[in-house]
Amino acid sequence: MEVIETPDKMIAWARNHAVLGRKNVLVPTMGYFHEGHLSLMRMAREYGDDVVVSLFVNPIQFGTNEDLSRYPSDFDRDAELAEKEGVSVLFSPSTDKMYPAGFQTAVTVEHLSRHLCGAHRPGHFTGVTTVVVKLFHIIRPDFAVFGQKDFQQLAIIRRMVLDLNMGVEILAHPIVREQDGLAMSSRNIYLDKDQRASALSLSKSIELACELFQKGIRDTTRLGEKVSAFISSHAGTDIDYVGFVDSNTLEFVSEADNSTRLLLAVTLFNKVRLIDNGLLAGFS
Ligand code: AMP
């Protein structure tokens, strides 16, 4: 596995490999790998000749009071894990190589970036789409793999790729969970054992919503009340949002149906913001 640290070298690598007719598949990450990231890398291997993993904690997608300065990292461990997954290139640029002095361009997907996480993290999705466009230009992937854990992010990137004719095929990987149901996240490391019990309220509340949906409750206001009450009954939980949306359009729905998805964001103990989501008709 090659470690490449500058956009120029990465562009040269991508050009050389394209000439050879090799297809490359990008997995964008912020590092501190867990089984979720590794599963995305395994999926990527099935779609091309080379897997490129980007490891970049993108400062422009963090708000001023967010956890940029303490975002977990362990480059050597990440490099070892990526190599074991058969990754060809770990692209790990510094911030000043990605955003040199004078940088001033942004890409925004307007409507889809406004609600849910967009309403609670102003500027976050513009930071995401801007860095993803940069990565697509630098790496020129044929495919790129994103996790359904960040469901709104995935929808926004699909929209951007269509709107801007980017010609990259976006692949979605299902949410990878711990045995007890907690969605894997690099941020889970911030939680101690007791706090983790409260974190489980996210996936359990999705299970609860599924059960109520199976029993015939369709009114999302009612479903939302039950979900919120369940989460709030756990210590240290502060709900950012409980949203019932159509899986395809991401529009809020008042009556749930088979394509309705519950999206959640909860801040735990004033320090860790976790997200999760699931389809009401078939959460697993
Ligand atoms: P991150 O490093 O958190 O920015 O995540 C990099 C990619 O991995 C994103 O596409 C995420 O959606 C995906 N990802 C993170 N955690 C999970 C998970 N538990 N299951 C599936 N995909 C995930």
Side-chain angles (χ1 to χ4, degrees), residues 26 34 86 107 120 136 158-159 184 194 205 243 265 268 272:
L26 170 63
H34 51 66
V107 176
H120 290 265
F136 284 2
R158 284 194 196 282
R159 186 74 251 166
M184 289 193 180
D194 292 340
S205 74
L268 291 158
V272 194

Side-chain angles (χ1 to χ4, degrees), residues 50-71:
D50 290 297
V51 175
V52 177
V53 173
S54 61
L55 193 174
F56 180 60
V57 182
N58 177 34
I60 66 166
Q61 72 185 65
F62 286 78
T64 36
N65 296 322
E66 294 182 4
D67 58 346
L68 172 64
S69 59
R70 62 189 178 101
Y71 197 82

Side-chain angles (χ1 to χ4, degrees), residues 222-240:
R222 212 170 137 208
L223 288 168
E225 282 164 5
K226 300 269 186 207
V227 166
S228 299
F230 179 81
I231 295 172
S232 300
S233 71
H234 292 74
T237 53
D238 185 7
I239 298 173
D240 274 14

Side-chain angles (χ1 to χ4, degrees), residues 28-30 34 37 40 71 146-147 149-150 153 174-176 184:
T29 80
M30 298 204 299
H34 51 66
H37 297 111
L40 267 61
Y71 197 82
F146 292 86
K149 163 142 177 284
D150 298 84
Q153 168 177 286
I175 301 177
V176 179
M184 289 193 180

Side-chain angles (χ1 to χ4, degrees), residues 178-197:
E178 304 281 357
Q179 274 203 331
D180 57 11
L182 181 66
M184 289 193 180
S185 164
S186 304
R187 291 184 167 104
N188 292 348
I189 184 103
Y190 299 143
L191 299 166
D192 67 26
K193 210 170 139 229
D194 292 340
Q195 295 170 339
R196 211 176 165 291

